Amino acid sequence: MNFSEVFKLSSLLCKFSPDGKYLASCVQYRLVVRDANTLQILQLYTCLDQIQHLEWSADSLFILCALYKRGLVQVWSLEQPEWHCKIDEGVASCWSPDGRHILNTTEFHLRITVWSLCTKSVSYIKYPKACQQGITFTRDGRYLALAERRDCRDYVSIFVCSDWQLLRHFDTDTQDLAGIEWAPNGCVLAVWDSCLEYKVLLYSLDGRLLSAFCAYEWSLGIKSVAWSPSSQFLAIGSYDGKVRILNHVTWKMITEFGHPATVNNTKIVVYKEAEKSPPLGHLAFPPPRAATGPLTSSESKYEIASMPVSLQTLKPAADRANPRIGVGALAFSPDNYFLATRNDSVPNAVWIWDIRKLRLLAVLEQLCTVRAFQWGPQQPRLAICTGGSKVYLWSPAGCVSVQVPGEGDFQVLSLCWHPSGDSLALLSKDHFCLCFLEMEKGVRMAFGQRGDCT
């Protein structure tokens, strides 16, 4: 395993292009585009103010930079660096699947403006709802579903992306719609209510209600939702600390996964991160500056714990909004075999479930709070970060703690995978670096002299 040198970064804005050839990163008001293999700078663009959002077009030919403080969106071309586009509008922006239209939400969510880069034409969509996830495209790019709020009721409109014509419009039986998401096959739309009411509604492309699911009433409800890549399962994480799995045939619950504070099943592997003490002869005095920091700067390893195992739990503040309870993160592996979850009241643990056998397979308990985790795009390989100087990798073969080399304490706050799954970008507050998991034949200029694995 090898690492690149460290590069400057702002606002955790660093993304690989969809085709995997480029890596875009932001440093204040500058947009830097690098070759994803050599990390050589290919293009350098200057925006009018600090960049707050970055997004590639689906064909990797354009980059959208949003400057929300100024209400501006700037678009840059990789093929024609001298070409650029500026849109004086927007508090939220995204690409259409064809990479030639930009959807800008105006202030106060009064409307969505669809800007065409080819014809310079403009289309308008009224009444978008300001919610957690109010806009979603089908994976084939043919349809757009939009959550709307009008006359104190929730609606969903489905548009054809080729001409932005309205295909279907229907109301939803929700008190306060919080999110919508298409199944990966584009046949079913999941709609869920706010946390005050547990309700998931499933609609067909023509607006028919296929099923409604409610696990319980009179308590905080849904916190996270995730489709499996095959569209066969819908995982629903809730504030009661459980994940419920719906099947695509009857849309009924087939199982529920709890997150108990004590694990005592011998069929479950619990990996506990432990600090790796250096040999006595290698201790330095006085200790170097980097070693005087918190525990995150020291090396660590995984140990398999013996049963039963008591996990560290967090007692939420009952008198504050958004309590740290419930399943706040869900992610299916790309092969549909595994589901990774995080229960916010057990903040240091990641739970990995075997979807084929519908049982808990492994638990990874970290020394620090889990900040983020993400599956590799090509195989079941999970990357985890906790805000320290390490990145953690799990696969069915086991797990490993990897120290990020370099001077000082590189605190990994977020990460993103290369589309090939051979590398991932590790992001800190002010810097980023690349971690290369598999060596290719030949020499990579970007990381020839750095590497460390524990």
Side-chain angles (χ1 to χ4, degrees), residues 267-314:
K267 294 183 179 180
I268 301 168
V269 182
V270 178
Y271 298 96
K272 290 180 72 74
E273 184 189 4
E275 184 179 7
K276 184 189 292 185
S277 300
L280 191 60
H282 289 76
L283 292 175
F285 186 84
R289 176 178 294 183
T292 61
L295 180 65
T296 53
S297 62
S298 60
E299 293 186 2
S300 67
K301 62 180 180 179
Y302 278 114
E303 297 176 348
I304 297 179
S306 55
M307 298 298 167
V309 179
S310 296
L311 304 173
Q312 297 181 23
T313 59
L314 181 70

Tab-separated table of all heavy atoms in Angstrom, residues 267-314:
chain	number	residue	atom	x	y	z
A	267	LYS	N	-20.446	-16.664	16.577
A	267	LYS	CA	-20.342	-16.661	15.116
A	267	LYS	C	-20.009	-15.279	14.561
A	267	LYS	O	-19.740	-15.138	13.371
A	267	LYS	CB	-21.643	-17.167	14.490
A	267	LYS	CG	-21.938	-18.637	14.784
A	267	LYS	CD	-23.203	-19.079	14.078
A	267	LYS	CE	-23.492	-20.555	14.342
A	267	LYS	NZ	-24.736	-21.006	13.653
A	268	ILE	N	-20.045	-14.291	15.428
A	268	ILE	CA	-19.761	-12.908	15.022
A	268	ILE	C	-18.324	-12.572	15.392
A	268	ILE	O	-17.861	-12.853	16.503
A	268	ILE	CB	-20.731	-11.925	15.713
A	268	ILE	CG1	-22.185	-12.260	15.353
A	268	ILE	CG2	-20.396	-10.487	15.328
A	268	ILE	CD1	-23.197	-11.532	16.196
A	269	VAL	N	-17.608	-11.974	14.452
A	269	VAL	CA	-16.227	-11.550	14.706
A	269	VAL	C	-16.232	-10.075	15.100
A	269	VAL	O	-16.736	-9.228	14.355
A	269	VAL	CB	-15.339	-11.764	13.467
A	269	VAL	CG1	-13.907	-11.352	13.771
A	269	VAL	CG2	-15.392	-13.216	13.016
A	270	VAL	N	-15.694	-9.782	16.265
A	270	VAL	CA	-15.587	-8.398	16.736
A	270	VAL	C	-14.116	-7.983	16.679
A	270	VAL	O	-13.274	-8.546	17.385
A	270	VAL	CB	-16.138	-8.234	18.161
A	270	VAL	CG1	-15.961	-6.785	18.630
A	270	VAL	CG2	-17.609	-8.628	18.217
A	271	TYR	N	-13.821	-7.025	15.817
A	271	TYR	CA	-12.467	-6.480	15.697
A	271	TYR	C	-12.379	-5.214	16.557
A	271	TYR	O	-13.097	-4.238	16.319
A	271	TYR	CB	-12.147	-6.121	14.252
A	271	TYR	CG	-12.163	-7.285	13.282
A	271	TYR	CD1	-13.294	-7.559	12.520
A	271	TYR	CD2	-11.047	-8.094	13.116
A	271	TYR	CE1	-13.312	-8.617	11.608
A	271	TYR	CE2	-11.040	-9.151	12.224
A	271	TYR	CZ	-12.179	-9.406	11.476
A	271	TYR	OH	-12.190	-10.453	10.585
A	272	LYS	N	-11.508	-5.222	17.535
A	272	LYS	CA	-11.318	-4.056	18.393
A	272	LYS	C	-9.988	-3.399	18.038
A	272	LYS	O	-8.941	-4.058	18.009
A	272	LYS	CB	-11.322	-4.458	19.871
A	272	LYS	CG	-12.679	-4.892	20.392
A	272	LYS	CD	-12.602	-5.280	21.851
A	272	LYS	CE	-12.411	-4.080	22.742
A	272	LYS	NZ	-13.662	-3.281	22.855
A	273	GLU	N	-10.058	-2.104	17.756
A	273	GLU	CA	-8.818	-1.374	17.501
A	273	GLU	C	-8.069	-1.178	18.811
A	273	GLU	O	-8.651	-0.758	19.821
A	273	GLU	CB	-9.117	-0.020	16.867
A	273	GLU	CG	-7.858	0.753	16.490
A	273	GLU	CD	-8.137	2.180	16.054
A	273	GLU	OE1	-9.305	2.611	16.111
A	273	GLU	OE2	-7.166	2.863	15.673
A	274	ALA	N	-6.797	-1.478	18.802
A	274	ALA	CA	-5.962	-1.329	19.990
A	274	ALA	C	-4.708	-0.559	19.624
A	274	ALA	O	-4.164	-0.710	18.530
A	274	ALA	CB	-5.588	-2.698	20.575
A	275	GLU	N	-4.259	0.276	20.560
A	275	GLU	CA	-3.044	1.043	20.321
A	275	GLU	C	-1.853	0.099	20.276
A	275	GLU	O	-1.705	-0.797	21.105
A	275	GLU	CB	-2.851	2.083	21.418
A	275	GLU	CG	-1.663	2.997	21.183
A	275	GLU	CD	-1.517	4.033	22.286
A	275	GLU	OE1	-2.275	3.927	23.270
A	275	GLU	OE2	-0.666	4.922	22.165
A	276	LYS	N	-1.019	0.290	19.264
A	276	LYS	CA	0.185	-0.530	19.114
A	276	LYS	C	1.343	0.170	19.820
A	276	LYS	O	1.785	1.243	19.393
A	276	LYS	CB	0.511	-0.744	17.642
A	276	LYS	CG	1.704	-1.667	17.412
A	276	LYS	CD	2.119	-1.676	15.953
A	276	LYS	CE	1.064	-2.326	15.078
A	276	LYS	NZ	1.536	-2.430	13.661
A	277	SER	N	1.809	-0.426	20.887
A	277	SER	CA	2.900	0.184	21.653
A	277	SER	C	4.227	-0.027	20.930
A	277	SER	O	4.528	-1.136	20.495
A	277	SER	CB	2.978	-0.435	23.049
A	277	SER	OG	1.767	-0.241	23.747
A	278	PRO	N	5.038	1.023	20.794
A	278	PRO	CA	6.345	0.862	20.141
A	278	PRO	C	7.291	0.075	21.034
A	278	PRO	O	7.138	0.066	22.257
A	278	PRO	CB	6.824	2.302	19.955
A	278	PRO	CG	6.129	3.073	21.042
A	278	PRO	CD	4.802	2.407	21.235
A	279	PRO	N	8.266	-0.619	20.445
A	279	PRO	CA	9.271	-1.327	21.252
A	279	PRO	C	9.998	-0.368	22.184
A	279	PRO	O	10.192	0.814	21.868
A	279	PRO	CB	10.215	-1.919	20.203
A	279	PRO	CG	9.422	-1.942	18.934
A	279	PRO	CD	8.479	-0.789	19.010
A	280	LEU	N	10.402	-0.865	23.334
A	280	LEU	CA	11.015	-0.007	24.345
A	280	LEU	C	12.253	0.703	23.822
A	280	LEU	O	12.521	1.853	24.142
A	280	LEU	CB	11.365	-0.858	25.581
A	280	LEU	CG	11.771	-0.072	26.836
A	280	LEU	CD1	10.631	0.849	27.263
A	280	LEU	CD2	12.138	-1.025	27.961
A	281	GLY	N	13.034	0.017	22.970
A	281	GLY	CA	14.261	0.607	22.458
A	281	GLY	C	14.037	1.718	21.452
A	281	GLY	O	14.960	2.434	21.106
A	282	HIS	N	12.769	1.864	20.974
A	282	HIS	CA	12.487	2.878	19.954
A	282	HIS	C	11.851	4.134	20.549
A	282	HIS	O	11.477	5.038	19.820
A	282	HIS	CB	11.556	2.299	18.882
A	282	HIS	CG	12.220	1.283	18.007
A	282	HIS	ND1	12.475	0.012	18.427
A	282	HIS	CD2	12.694	1.376	16.731
A	282	HIS	CE1	13.068	-0.682	17.448
A	282	HIS	NE2	13.222	0.134	16.422
A	283	LEU	N	11.676	4.186	21.860
A	283	LEU	CA	11.076	5.367	22.459
A	283	LEU	C	12.074	6.520	22.444
A	283	LEU	O	13.247	6.359	22.771
A	283	LEU	CB	10.657	5.071	23.903
A	283	LEU	CG	9.490	4.072	24.068
A	283	LEU	CD1	9.255	3.782	25.550
A	283	LEU	CD2	8.234	4.615	23.429
A	284	ALA	N	11.582	7.688	22.053
A	284	ALA	CA	12.452	8.864	21.974
A	284	ALA	C	12.161	9.808	23.140
A	284	ALA	O	11.016	9.932	23.583
A	284	ALA	CB	12.240	9.584	20.653
A	285	PHE	N	13.185	10.484	23.626
A	285	PHE	CA	12.987	11.482	24.662
A	285	PHE	C	13.883	12.691	24.362
A	285	PHE	O	15.084	12.538	24.155
A	285	PHE	CB	13.331	10.921	26.044
A	285	PHE	CG	12.988	11.886	27.155
A	285	PHE	CD1	11.697	11.932	27.660
A	285	PHE	CD2	13.936	12.770	27.638
A	285	PHE	CE1	11.373	12.839	28.653
A	285	PHE	CE2	13.613	13.682	28.626
A	285	PHE	CZ	12.322	13.715	29.142
A	286	PRO	N	13.319	13.881	24.353
A	286	PRO	CA	11.884	14.122	24.519
A	286	PRO	C	11.089	13.645	23.302
A	286	PRO	O	11.653	13.548	22.208
A	286	PRO	CB	11.800	15.644	24.663
A	286	PRO	CG	12.996	16.140	23.909
A	286	PRO	CD	14.077	15.120	24.139
A	287	PRO	N	9.794	13.352	23.463
A	287	PRO	CA	9.022	12.855	22.328
A	287	PRO	C	8.890	13.916	21.255
A	287	PRO	O	8.870	15.114	21.552
A	287	PRO	CB	7.652	12.526	22.952
A	287	PRO	CG	7.564	13.376	24.171
A	287	PRO	CD	8.967	13.487	24.690
A	288	PRO	N	8.843	13.540	19.976
A	288	PRO	CA	8.657	14.515	18.897
A	288	PRO	C	7.322	15.206	19.017
A	288	PRO	O	6.391	14.706	19.651
A	288	PRO	CB	8.739	13.660	17.621
A	288	PRO	CG	8.435	12.267	18.075
A	288	PRO	CD	8.957	12.155	19.468
A	289	ARG	N	7.229	16.373	18.388
A	289	ARG	CA	6.020	17.190	18.505
A	289	ARG	C	4.778	16.418	18.077
A	289	ARG	O	3.724	16.488	18.706
A	289	ARG	CB	6.151	18.467	17.672
A	289	ARG	CG	4.898	19.308	17.663
A	289	ARG	CD	5.093	20.593	16.872
A	289	ARG	NE	6.056	21.468	17.529
A	289	ARG	CZ	6.354	22.673	17.063
A	289	ARG	NH1	5.768	23.125	15.960
A	289	ARG	NH2	7.230	23.432	17.693
A	290	ALA	N	4.874	15.634	16.982
A	290	ALA	CA	3.709	14.906	16.485
A	290	ALA	C	3.242	13.864	17.483
A	290	ALA	O	2.087	13.503	17.517
A	290	ALA	CB	4.038	14.228	15.151
A	291	ALA	N	4.162	13.351	18.319
A	291	ALA	CA	3.803	12.285	19.245
A	291	ALA	C	3.181	12.813	20.525
A	291	ALA	O	2.709	12.052	21.344
A	291	ALA	CB	5.039	11.454	19.578
A	292	THR	N	3.215	14.124	20.744
A	292	THR	CA	2.651	14.687	21.959
A	292	THR	C	1.179	14.989	21.810
A	292	THR	O	0.546	15.464	22.732
A	292	THR	CB	3.395	15.978	22.349
A	292	THR	OG1	3.250	16.930	21.277
A	292	THR	CG2	4.867	15.702	22.590
A	293	GLY	N	0.610	14.702	20.643
A	293	GLY	CA	-0.796	14.955	20.398
A	293	GLY	C	-1.663	13.874	20.983
A	293	GLY	O	-1.258	13.075	21.819
A	294	PRO	N	-2.940	13.794	20.547
A	294	PRO	CA	-3.858	12.804	21.061
A	294	PRO	C	-3.524	11.408	20.550
A	294	PRO	O	-2.605	11.191	19.772
A	294	PRO	CB	-5.223	13.278	20.509
A	294	PRO	CG	-4.862	14.047	19.278
A	294	PRO	CD	-3.556	14.686	19.566
A	295	LEU	N	-4.337	10.462	20.979
A	295	LEU	CA	-4.118	9.064	20.646
A	295	LEU	C	-4.150	8.808	19.151
A	295	LEU	O	-3.547	7.867	18.657
A	295	LEU	CB	-5.193	8.228	21.358
A	295	LEU	CG	-5.175	6.717	21.172
A	295	LEU	CD1	-3.901	6.151	21.778
A	295	LEU	CD2	-6.402	6.084	21.820
A	296	THR	N	-4.836	9.685	18.391
A	296	THR	CA	-5.010	9.451	16.964
A	296	THR	C	-3.693	9.438	16.202
A	296	THR	O	-3.629	8.937	15.095
A	296	THR	CB	-5.907	10.546	16.370
A	296	THR	OG1	-5.381	11.823	16.710
A	296	THR	CG2	-7.325	10.435	16.938
A	297	SER	N	-2.629	10.004	16.755
A	297	SER	CA	-1.362	10.057	16.033
A	297	SER	C	-0.524	8.803	16.236
A	297	SER	O	0.513	8.658	15.612
A	297	SER	CB	-0.564	11.292	16.470
A	297	SER	OG	-0.265	11.205	17.852
A	298	SER	N	-0.918	7.919	17.161
A	298	SER	CA	-0.163	6.697	17.400
A	298	SER	C	-0.649	5.592	16.487
A	298	SER	O	-1.762	5.633	15.969
A	298	SER	CB	-0.303	6.277	18.868
A	298	SER	OG	-1.662	6.036	19.172
A	299	GLU	N	0.189	4.585	16.288
A	299	GLU	CA	-0.189	3.468	15.441
A	299	GLU	C	-1.141	2.534	16.191
A	299	GLU	O	-1.170	2.505	17.429
A	299	GLU	CB	1.060	2.711	14.994
A	299	GLU	CG	1.950	3.514	14.063
A	299	GLU	CD	3.099	2.682	13.521
A	299	GLU	OE1	3.171	1.487	13.851
A	299	GLU	OE2	3.918	3.232	12.772
A	300	SER	N	-1.913	1.788	15.426
A	300	SER	CA	-2.872	0.880	16.047
A	300	SER	C	-2.986	-0.388	15.218
A	300	SER	O	-2.491	-0.461	14.089
A	300	SER	CB	-4.244	1.544	16.190
A	300	SER	OG	-4.831	1.765	14.905
A	301	LYS	N	-3.642	-1.368	15.788
A	301	LYS	CA	-3.882	-2.630	15.107
A	301	LYS	C	-5.241	-3.154	15.552
A	301	LYS	O	-5.833	-2.668	16.520
A	301	LYS	CB	-2.789	-3.633	15.457
A	301	LYS	CG	-2.741	-3.981	16.943
A	301	LYS	CD	-1.637	-4.978	17.252
A	301	LYS	CE	-1.612	-5.296	18.752
A	301	LYS	NZ	-0.569	-6.287	19.079
A	302	TYR	N	-5.744	-4.165	14.852
A	302	TYR	CA	-7.006	-4.802	15.227
A	302	TYR	C	-6.712	-6.082	16.003
A	302	TYR	O	-5.815	-6.854	15.661
A	302	TYR	CB	-7.834	-5.135	13.991
A	302	TYR	CG	-8.627	-3.977	13.453
A	302	TYR	CD1	-8.341	-3.437	12.206
A	302	TYR	CD2	-9.680	-3.427	14.171
A	302	TYR	CE1	-9.075	-2.377	11.690
A	302	TYR	CE2	-10.423	-2.366	13.675
A	302	TYR	CZ	-10.118	-1.850	12.434
A	302	TYR	OH	-10.849	-0.797	11.943
A	303	GLU	N	-7.502	-6.277	17.047
A	303	GLU	CA	-7.465	-7.517	17.794
A	303	GLU	C	-8.851	-8.150	17.780
A	303	GLU	O	-9.856	-7.439	17.875
A	303	GLU	CB	-7.019	-7.266	19.231
A	303	GLU	CG	-5.604	-6.720	19.357
A	303	GLU	CD	-5.224	-6.397	20.797
A	303	GLU	OE1	-6.148	-6.391	21.644
A	303	GLU	OE2	-4.040	-6.164	21.061
A	304	ILE	N	-8.917	-9.459	17.651
A	304	ILE	CA	-10.204	-10.156	17.692
A	304	ILE	C	-10.589	-10.358	19.150
A	304	ILE	O	-9.868	-10.998	19.920
A	304	ILE	CB	-10.125	-11.501	16.949
A	304	ILE	CG1	-9.810	-11.255	15.469
A	304	ILE	CG2	-11.425	-12.271	17.095
A	304	ILE	CD1	-9.694	-12.514	14.642
A	305	ALA	N	-11.725	-9.787	19.525
A	305	ALA	CA	-12.155	-9.815	20.920
A	305	ALA	C	-12.842	-11.140	21.241
A	305	ALA	O	-13.469	-11.766	20.385
A	305	ALA	CB	-13.097	-8.657	21.200
A	306	SER	N	-12.717	-11.559	22.478
A	306	SER	CA	-13.404	-12.770	22.941
A	306	SER	C	-14.777	-12.394	23.492
A	306	SER	O	-14.965	-11.312	24.054
A	306	SER	CB	-12.564	-13.467	24.023
A	306	SER	OG	-12.275	-12.567	25.083
A	307	MET	N	-15.719	-13.300	23.332
A	307	MET	CA	-17.094	-13.032	23.740
A	307	MET	C	-17.272	-13.222	25.253
A	307	MET	O	-16.583	-14.035	25.858
A	307	MET	CB	-18.043	-13.968	22.982
A	307	MET	CG	-18.006	-13.781	21.484
A	307	MET	SD	-18.531	-12.121	21.025
A	307	MET	CE	-18.013	-12.082	19.312
A	308	PRO	N	-18.252	-12.462	25.831
A	308	PRO	CA	-19.047	-11.400	25.217
A	308	PRO	C	-18.268	-10.089	25.149
A	308	PRO	O	-17.317	-9.886	25.904
A	308	PRO	CB	-20.236	-11.297	26.168
A	308	PRO	CG	-19.677	-11.684	27.491
A	308	PRO	CD	-18.645	-12.741	27.229
A	309	VAL	N	-18.704	-9.209	24.255
A	309	VAL	CA	-18.041	-7.924	24.062
A	309	VAL	C	-19.040	-6.807	24.356
A	309	VAL	O	-20.144	-6.792	23.796
A	309	VAL	CB	-17.507	-7.774	22.624
A	309	VAL	CG1	-16.853	-6.416	22.445
A	309	VAL	CG2	-16.536	-8.881	22.293
A	310	SER	N	-18.667	-5.894	25.222
A	310	SER	CA	-19.495	-4.727	25.530
A	310	SER	C	-18.955	-3.522	24.764
A	310	SER	O	-17.797	-3.130	24.950
A	310	SER	CB	-19.487	-4.441	27.038
A	310	SER	OG	-20.083	-5.504	27.748
A	311	LEU	N	-19.787	-2.954	23.904
A	311	LEU	CA	-19.383	-1.817	23.086
A	311	LEU	C	-19.608	-0.504	23.831
A	311	LEU	O	-20.498	-0.405	24.688
A	311	LEU	CB	-20.177	-1.811	21.778
A	311	LEU	CG	-20.083	-3.080	20.923
A	311	LEU	CD1	-21.051	-3.006	19.747
A	311	LEU	CD2	-18.655	-3.285	20.429
A	312	GLN	N	-18.802	0.484	23.502
A	312	GLN	CA	-18.945	1.791	24.135
A	312	GLN	C	-20.205	2.476	23.627
A	312	GLN	O	-20.393	2.628	22.419
A	312	GLN	CB	-17.733	2.672	23.833
A	312	GLN	CG	-16.416	2.136	24.370
A	312	GLN	CD	-15.249	3.057	24.058
A	312	GLN	OE1	-15.438	4.253	23.840
A	312	GLN	NE2	-14.049	2.505	24.026
A	313	THR	N	-21.062	2.888	24.538
A	313	THR	CA	-22.317	3.544	24.166
A	313	THR	C	-22.289	4.991	24.611
A	313	THR	O	-21.547	5.380	25.524
A	313	THR	CB	-23.520	2.830	24.798
A	313	THR	OG1	-23.373	2.837	26.226
A	313	THR	CG2	-23.630	1.397	24.300
A	314	LEU	N	-23.122	5.791	23.964
A	314	LEU	CA	-23.221	7.218	24.243
A	314	LEU	C	-24.626	7.512	24.740
A	314	LEU	O	-25.613	7.159	24.084
A	314	LEU	CB	-22.912	8.020	22.979
A	314	LEU	CG	-22.930	9.543	23.077
A	314	LEU	CD1	-21.743	10.018	23.903
A	314	LEU	CD2	-22.889	10.165	21.694
